[in-house]
Amino acid sequence: MSKAIEILIADDSASDVELAVHALRKAKLANEIHIVEDGAQALDFLFCRGPYAGRSFADPPRLVLLDLKMPKVDGIEVLRAVRADPRTRAIPIVVLTSSKEQRDLVESYNLGVNAYIQKPVEFERFREVIEHIGMFWLVVNEPPPKDCFSGNC
Amino acid sequence: MKENLRRFFMADEKAEALASAAQRITVQDRYHLLVDSVADYAIFVLDPNGMVASWNAGAQRLKGWTSKEIIGRHFSAFYTPEDVASGKPQRELATAAAEGVARGEGWRVRKDGTLYWADVVITAMRDDAGNLLGFAKVTRDLTERRRAEDVLRRQQTLLKESNEDLDSFSASVAHDLRAPIRQILGFAKLLADDYGPSLDEEGRRRLEKIQGGARHMGLLVDDLLNLARVGREALVLQPVPLGSLAREVIEQLKPEAEGRCVEWRLGELFEAKCDPTLTKQVFVNLLSNALKFTGPREHAVIEIGATTTEAGELAVFVRDNGVGFDMRYAGKLFGIFHRLHSEREFEGTGVGLATVDRILRKHGGRIWASAEVGKGATFCFTLALPPGKKGES
């Protein structure tokens, strides 16, 4: 990979992914976006294994937009695995899901998600939300320093 | 003279003695007749040690023993082996002797070994000197009633489970509908944005229709999800000053009333024990309805106040001078999807009032409405409040 991936989107809905990418591009927020369709691929990517064995822990995405309801491995499992490993713990994860179920909210926050957003149904609103998230995590927020991904913290 | 008087009084005393003897016999006979003929209750006497000393028709019917078989036997014969082993019969007698009476419900055994659920009262009988003469025992068979209670409880559980299933089904259906709705709205918007200019007016209008339909569907899904959630979640009751709640909601609705002449008349409301979140929803729904249906009025007047029903319940009313509705259809008002105005006249999903109705019924209260077409409507609701409290904190 020549350029660092800035945003990883893990979502099994091609339609939602397309709308999110459209919104991000329109807001000129991200040039390098990578998309995975399920939790297993998301874990391979974040843990630099399988098809992503060439990736480095020192180069994590600046932001992960994580859907919860995905086939194979769901969002909660991904969150759990990422937060459990010192090499990936600090990666900013925003859950972006259709669900507003109490159970999902509680579990996500208990596992240390950075933010939880329910995907709005209205496109204008959806676009606004994506823009806000992107703006915050990629521009406003100070990213975790490289040391945080060395596994020594 | 004295001799005559003496004979006179003696005659009376004798007559009295004869009369009272006759009375006593009659009373005793009457007693036997009464106790003996009572077939629904076992009424009999135990001696101070618990031996059965008398019997009646009810006892035979209930327990199966004839008087010949049971008199002289210990009354622990009526108890289950577990109870006998734990000393329950003796305990009951001890309680009756100490406190005068022992009451309880429990399983008892018939002569044939079958069990029945009994309601038992054992009363200690004492003479004037306070010596224990024995015990009077009255037993009632409650097996039928208990069986009916079990059936009822089971039906209630089934009903509750069925409702829960329905609610979580509605919730997951509504939830899964969100994604395709988002898809329709999203791509319709992108289409309108990027290709709108190359469409003619009719083309753009048709696109609007698609978006409008999807938007409405989205609102419907949200309202249905909300209705299902209201059904599922438990109430969190606390004392809530309804006046403050109403004031909050009016503030919240100010943006919607922007540019219109709306007069809010908030009277003194009372404090009620209710779920604050759900009750707020009731106000939001009723007040935004009032706002909506007074839309055509130049000067909208929405009044909120407290009142007392004929039955003495405390109620809240919301009265508006809007378009009202036809009372002939008032019965449909709180049904799901039933609307009394067309989508063309007033937008809405037809779920709001059903949700309000459900919230209030969950509290043990209710809602009702009256209206006149063209004049306005009044909605009244109760929250099953304790009587008498008004305006106190």
Side-chain angles (χ1 to χ4, degrees):
Chain A
M1 306 252 161
S2 46
K3 260 193 168 169
I5 296 295
E6 300 199 288
I7 303 183
L8 173 71
I9 302 181
D11 195 325
D12 66 332
S13 158
S15 167
D16 281 347
V17 167
E18 188 173 335
L19 293 173
V21 168
H22 185 98
L24 286 167
R25 293 246 152 86
K26 229 178 175 180
K28 299 194 200 338
L29 276 172
N31 292 321
E32 296 307 319
I33 302 173
H34 190 75
I35 297 149
V36 291
E37 288 180 333
D38 59 57
Q41 285 180 35
L43 286 176
D44 283 345
F45 183 93
L46 293 167
F47 283 93
C48 311
R49 58 188 192 216
Y52 302 103
R55 283 185 43 78
S56 154
F57 281 97
D59 255 322
R62 300 266 307 264
L63 172 66
V64 177
L65 292 177
L66 184 64
D67 188 16
L68 289 184
K69 310 272 179 265
M70 292 184 289
K72 294 196 193 143
V73 178
D74 69 22
I76 294 289
E77 284 315 304
V78 172
L79 188 54
R80 196 192 308 274
V82 168
R83 287 293 184 255
D85 193 312
R87 298 168 297 176
T88 52
R89 184 176 293 154
I91 300 176
I93 299 185
V94 171
V95 157
L96 187 62
T97 178
S98 288
S99 161
K100 208 171 154 191
E101 294 288 304
Q102 271 300 102
R103 197 180 0 147
D104 290 331
L105 274 157
V106 169
E107 272 220 87
S108 302
Y109 274 108
N110 276 342
L111 288 169
V113 76
N114 293 89
Y116 189 109
I117 313 280
Q118 191 195 18
K119 290 178 188 167
V121 157
E122 270 275 11
F123 180 64
E124 259 316 298
R125 186 92 188 96
F126 182 69
R127 202 194 50 72
E128 256 174 31
V129 166
I130 296 286
E131 193 179 320
H132 274 139
I133 297 172
M135 265 310 268
F136 180 80
W137 289 103
L138 295 172
V139 179
V140 175
N141 186 55
E142 283 296 330
K146 293 253 185 237
D147 282 347
C148 286
F149 303 106
S150 64
N152 297 330
C153 292
Chain B
M1 180 66 168
K2 245 192 181 170
E3 189 51 48
N4 282 342
L5 275 174
R6 208 170 59 92
R7 231 177 288 142
F8 178 75
F9 281 119
M10 265 193 74
D12 271 339
E13 277 175 35
K14 237 191 186 161
E16 260 185 48
L18 277 174
S20 69
Q23 251 192 341
R24 271 203 307 278
I25 292 171
T26 317
V27 166
Q28 247 179 344
D29 283 343
R30 265 189 265 150
Y31 166 77
H32 280 301
L33 199 62
L34 177 70
V35 168
D36 212 57
S37 63
V38 169
D40 291 328
Y41 288 68
I43 306 175
F44 54 96
V45 172
L46 304 175
D47 77 5
N49 296 313
M51 303 298 181
V52 179
S54 79
W55 207 233
N56 81 326
Q60 175 164 345
R61 187 160 164 272
L62 181 55
K63 296 164 190 277
W65 307 90
T66 64
S67 56
K68 224 187 244 169
E69 290 167 339
I70 196 65
I71 290 185
R73 290 186 60 163
H74 196 260
F75 85 119
S76 53
F78 309 137
Y79 286 74
T80 63
E82 298 83 45
D83 281 344
V84 173
S86 77
K88 185 156 183 202
Q90 279 73 14
R91 267 202 310 277
E92 308 261 87
L93 290 187
T95 309
E99 296 169 21
V101 68
R103 281 180 234 268
E105 281 188 24
W107 290 111
R108 296 291 184 272
V109 187
R110 292 197 188 91
K111 176 184 168 190
D112 64 2
T114 56
L115 292 175
Y116 62 96
W117 186 260
D119 173 25
V120 178
V121 179
I122 303 177
T123 315
M125 300 189 303
R126 296 183 184 280
D127 64 14
D128 292 334
N131 300 311
L132 185 64
L133 296 173
F135 299 93
K137 195 162 183 296
V138 179
T139 308
R140 188 157 59 120
D141 182 357
L142 289 183
T143 316
E144 270 317 304
R145 193 188 79 178
R146 196 176 146 88
R147 203 174 296 142
E149 279 173 2
D150 280 343
V151 167
L152 189 65
R153 214 171 302 132
R154 222 175 311 132
Q155 283 178 334
Q156 283 176 331
T157 311
L158 283 175
L159 190 63
K160 186 160 174 278
E161 282 173 5
S162 159
N163 275 339
E164 283 171 353
D165 281 344
L166 197 61
D167 279 341
S168 49
F169 171 73
S170 314
S172 52
V173 163
H175 180 265
D176 290 334
L177 283 174
R178 277 228 180 93
I181 294 172
R182 191 170 38 249
Q183 188 169 353
I184 296 172
L185 282 176
F187 287 98
K189 183 78 170 61
L190 291 182
L191 187 63
D193 284 349
D194 296 337
Y195 296 88
S198 59
L199 288 174
D200 68 358
E201 199 165 316
E202 178 60 15
R204 281 195 290 276
R205 193 191 71 91
R206 293 183 188 179
L207 198 44
E208 284 267 343
K209 283 286 193 181
I210 293 173
Q211 288 173 295
R215 222 169 270 136
H216 184 88
M217 188 159 52
L219 285 175
L220 211 46
V221 161
D222 283 345
D223 283 353
L224 280 175
L225 259 180
N226 194 33
L227 180 60
R229 189 180 17 242
V230 163
R232 264 179 298 143
E233 283 177 0
L235 291 181
V236 175
L237 295 174
Q238 37 184 263
V240 178
L242 296 180
S244 323
L245 212 60
R247 223 165 283 126
E248 262 178 59
V249 174
I250 294 176
E251 265 313 300
Q252 207 174 298
L253 291 174
K254 279 239 151 75
E256 271 181 56
E258 190 91 349
R260 285 177 53 187
C261 176
V262 178
E263 184 188 335
W264 296 97
R265 291 187 197 159
L266 179 58
E268 204 183 313
L269 296 183
F270 42 84
E271 188 180 84
K273 189 153 176 238
C274 59
D275 183 307
T277 320
L278 292 179
T279 311
K280 187 167 183 193
Q281 248 194 62
V282 169
F283 275 106
V284 167
N285 190 280
L286 293 179
L287 296 188
S288 50
N289 270 356
L291 253 189
K292 178 163 64 178
F293 290 102
T294 52
R297 297 279 176 262
E298 282 219 353
H299 178 80
V301 177
I302 302 172
E303 208 184 322
I304 307 141
T307 179
T308 317
T309 68
E310 271 172 27
E313 308 153 285
L314 278 178
V316 174
F317 68 83
V318 175
R319 185 179 301 133
D320 68 67
N321 66 339
V323 297
F325 56 83
D326 191 333
M327 279 302 282
R328 272 180 298 170
Y329 307 114
K332 290 187 164 189
L333 216 44
F334 301 102
I336 302 185
F337 299 140
H338 286 137
R339 304 200 65 219
L340 299 189
H341 294 93
S342 74
E343 185 63 21
R344 202 178 16 92
E345 301 172 288
F346 295 98
E347 56 125 41
T349 56
V351 181
L353 283 179
T355 309
V356 164
D357 180 55
R358 196 174 233 197
I359 293 174
L360 292 169
R361 272 187 297 121
K362 242 189 150 163
H363 279 85
R366 60 201 169 87
I367 182 166
W368 66 100
S370 59
E372 219 185 307
V373 175
K375 294 263 177 70
T378 306
F379 284 79
C380 262
F381 66 88
T382 62
L383 279 160
L385 312 148
K389 291 222 152 220
K390 193 166 176 135
E392 290 174 76
S393 51

